[in-house]
Amino acid sequence: MIGSFDKLRDIREALREGRLTCEAIVTHYLERINARPELNAFVEVYREDALERARQVDDRLRSGTAGRLAGLVIGIKDVISHKGYGLQAGSKILTGYRSPYHATVVERILEEDAIIIGRQNCDEFAMGSSNENSYFGPVANAAAPDRVPGGSSGGSAVAVQAGFCHASLGSDTGGSVRQPASFCGVVGLKPTYGRVSRWGLIAYASSFDCIGPITRSVEDAALLLEIIAGQDDADSTVSSQPVPSYASSLAWSGKARIAYLRESIESDAVQPEVREQTRALLRKLGELGHTVEPVEFTSTRHLLPTYYILTTAEASSNLSRFDGVRYGYRAAAAADLEDMYKRSRSEGFGREVKRRILLGTFVLSASYYDAYYTKAQRVRRLILEETRRVLDQYDFIVSPVAPTTAFKKGEKVQDPLQMYLADIFTVQANVTGLPALSVPNGADDQGLPIGFQLMAAAFDEARLLSFGNYISEVTKEM
Ligand code: GLN
């Protein structure tokens, strides 16, 4: 019964009417997690703590003092600090590390009485598109366990897909919330850069990283955003713009102007069923009276190179703090300090993370800095300007979330370029800092979910979410 609730609102109603208790909800999820360990969605499940907290929230519900997230059981990606609990970013190098403080987002959801059920598996340091780069092993897609869940927030998406919790918090640097949401048939939101505090998020590429919700409904994504967004003294990149009540203003009225990426529904590189489903939805939106027109970006082919130059540069700097001294893992046999650093990092980091540290160090090195890093910064600016020009004329830029549905495990691990192409449609929102939403849009011939992405102007989440909510209604009727 609990699995049939797509919205927290419905759970709240059942709680109010006494048909459910938080304790029963947590028990239900724990049983489901226990039943499918092979999906490997969680790195750690807080069984006793979650039950204990559920009983406290039940008390608060009874006394009428419960917060807005009472009844919400949520999982958090293993890159978000939760005081007193282990935190490893899916890496060996953080073995034994415990968060000394709460991430701002954790503090805010706890204040509203959310129940955190555990931390979720992800690609090491959020680097990956298939969740095959985790020290804790790969995560399997619940729709087809020989397939990947997408990445890097793969565990977070599968946990919602498989009904292990009601929602998750992931992080999105190049698509890591939206692409796994798409592969798993759930909703994923990447807010505007600076809408949500990064305090307590393990940094991958600080000028790209965003925390975002993964949910079963757009309404719950809106509610979570409303709670986690907004000014934070601990993160100076967070905007002081007021946070609207997104969840209560979801009704969409009027006609939208929609620009779709022409290539995304014409290119042979995109899976035929993905093209077809996207086309069908666009046709439907046209029939409903919205303006639907193609756009082409001259900068599309520069997106991935720009993304990979800048994110690896930032990662090489961010990950220098993991040196065997301050956090987690330290190599046992070392001759001297230098040797200890080298061994700890060589043994502690996985292949993909090392590849990115090497790439980042290269693009930042004295002789190549201008040719790569400075140039990529300029191209980033041009991409932003071109994207803004389109958003001056249209409300949304849309495309499939990814060029394919969930691919087979092992299929792309030997070919990083193929793997990086999985993010071709998602990275634009991160390069430009704009908000983007992934909503389910049917399935391919094998029943694997397809996702539809909408991107909007900076801090336009209210309209992004209300139109996304409208699209969810439209796709249900198709
Ligand atoms: N797959 C992309 C990468 O590996 C995006 C990851 C992310 O958004 N964290 O960089």
Side-chain angles (χ1 to χ4, degrees), residues 126-129 152 172-176 204 307-308 356 423:
M127 296 172 186
S129 306
S152 64
D172 190 313
T173 304
S176 278
Y204 159 14
Y307 172 80
Y308 275 99
R356 300 208 189 181
D423 303 317

Side-chain angles (χ1 to χ4, degrees), residues 92-150:
K92 179 178 176 185
I93 207 155
L94 278 170
T95 303
Y97 177 75
R98 282 182 179 274
S99 300
Y101 55 84
H102 281 322
T104 299
V105 294
V106 166
E107 206 168 271
R108 291 190 181 168
I109 60 170
L110 289 178
E111 265 164 27
E112 294 293 346
D113 287 332
I115 299 165
I116 300 179
I117 195 163
R119 64 175 161 126
Q120 296 158 330
N121 205 345
C122 61
D123 281 303
E124 188 178 3
F125 286 98
M127 296 172 186
S129 306
S130 65
N131 217 131
E132 292 169 291
N133 297 334
S134 169
Y135 173 59
F136 300 105
V139 175
N141 193 311
D146 59 332
R147 306 245 165 194
V148 305

